[in-house]
Every structure is written in structure tokens, then in C-alpha cells.
């Protein structure tokens, strides 16, 4: 499922992925604490997510449920980044990524394990 989410919509989704189903009121309280948003802002962003098919509204109490997983969004955003910035080349993306960081030995070991799993 290809859905383009903006940063504000991702904030709503992140709360649902972390907390599970919440009412719109509960979401508004969490996002007020985490981002300073008022209730109207949260409700506007929830509506946009519903319109895009990322969230389902359930009754009673305007309960919100995520229809897409965090992993699906991560895969889609990563593919878009690779296509946009690295001419669709995962090798160029990976090379740029690993050459731009100062990895610890532990992180290098984990990266090696990930690559070995692909074989």
C-alpha cells in the first residue's frame, strides 16, 4: 500500500504504532504533551490520515486504528529516498551511509550480520 505521509501525519501514526488503538481524544492528549498541538490540530491531522487510508475510525468514541504498519512506511520511505537521492541504487545508498558514519565495532558487527543474512 503506497501512502505518502507528511511529518505531522507520521507523528500521529507513531503514537498509534507505539500505544495501539486510541480514541481521538486520547491521541490529542498524548500529542499535546509530546508536541504542544491543540485538539483541533490533532483532529485535522487524524482526518487527513483517515482520508489517505492510514487510519480507520471505529465507533464508539471515535477510536483510531492504524491500517498500515511502521515497517511498511519505513520500506516505502527508504525506497523513495534511494530512488530520489541515489538514482535507485541501493549499493550507492549503502556505501554513502557506511562511509559517512563513525561506527563502533559492535555496530559494524551487527551490520555484517545483516549482510550475511542476505546471502
Amino acid at each position: 500500500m503506497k501512502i505518502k505521509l507528511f511529518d505531522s501525519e507520521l507523528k500521529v501514526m507513531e503514537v498509534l504504532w507505539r500505544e495501539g488503538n486510541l480514541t481521538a481524544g486520547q491521541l490529542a492528549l498524548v500529542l499535546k504533551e509530546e508536541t504542544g498541538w491543540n485538539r483541533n490540530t490533532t483532529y485535522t491531522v487524524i482526518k487527513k490520515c483517515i482520508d489517505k487510508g492510514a487510519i480507520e475510525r471505529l465507533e464508539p468514541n471515535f477510536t483510531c486504528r492504524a491500517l498500515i504498519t511502521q515497517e511498511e512506511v519505513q520500506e516505502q520511505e527508504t525506497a523513495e529516498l534511494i530512488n530520489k537521492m541515489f538514482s535507485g541504487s541501493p549499493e550507492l545508498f549503502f556505501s554513502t551511509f557506511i562511509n559517512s558514519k563513525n561506527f563502533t565495532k559492535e555496530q559494524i558487527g551487527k551490520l555484517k550480520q545483516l549482510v550475511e543474512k542476505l546471502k
Side-chain angles (χ1 to χ4, degrees), residues 8-71:
S8 59
E9 296 159 346
L10 282 170
K11 287 188 186 311
V12 170
M13 296 305 297
E14 287 168 358
V15 173
L16 288 175
W17 291 326
R18 183 180 70 230
E19 304 291 334
N21 297 353
L22 294 173
T23 66
Q26 291 168 320
L27 264 171
L29 289 173
V30 171
L31 288 165
K32 179 176 181 151
E33 186 175 306
E34 291 182 5
T35 65
W37 290 358
N38 66 38
R39 181 175 291 270
N40 288 339
T41 300
T42 300
Y43 280 35
T44 298
V45 177
I46 290 170
K47 177 159 182 1
K48 289 179 182 180
C49 290
I50 290 170
D51 291 345
K52 289 182 175 187
I55 291 176
E56 176 180 38
R57 176 182 176 167
L58 304 169
E59 293 299 337
N61 302 325
F62 195 158
T63 299
C64 299
R65 179 173 74 91
L67 294 176
I68 56 176
T69 67
Q70 186 173 18
E71 291 77 17

Side-chain angles (χ1 to χ4, degrees), residues 33-112:
E33 186 175 306
E34 291 182 5
T35 65
W37 290 358
N38 66 38
R39 181 175 291 270
N40 288 339
T41 300
T42 300
Y43 280 35
T44 298
V45 177
I46 290 170
K47 177 159 182 1
K48 289 179 182 180
C49 290
I50 290 170
D51 291 345
K52 289 182 175 187
I55 291 176
E56 176 180 38
R57 176 182 176 167
L58 304 169
E59 293 299 337
N61 302 325
F62 195 158
T63 299
C64 299
R65 179 173 74 91
L67 294 176
I68 56 176
T69 67
Q70 186 173 18
E71 291 77 17
E72 289 171 319
V73 173
Q74 289 170 336
E75 288 174 15
Q76 180 181 312
E77 290 288 329
T78 302
E80 186 176 315
L81 172 69
I82 291 170
N83 285 332
K84 181 178 178 181
M85 300 301 296
F86 300 95
S87 302
S89 170
E91 297 86 359
L92 182 57
F93 165 76
F94 191 68
S95 173
T96 302
F97 177 71
I98 62 172
N99 287 321
S100 66
K101 302 286 183 193
N102 292 322
F103 291 106
T104 65
K105 287 182 180 183
E106 181 182 339
Q107 290 170 323
I108 291 169
K110 287 179 181 179
L111 288 171
K112 285 180 179 178

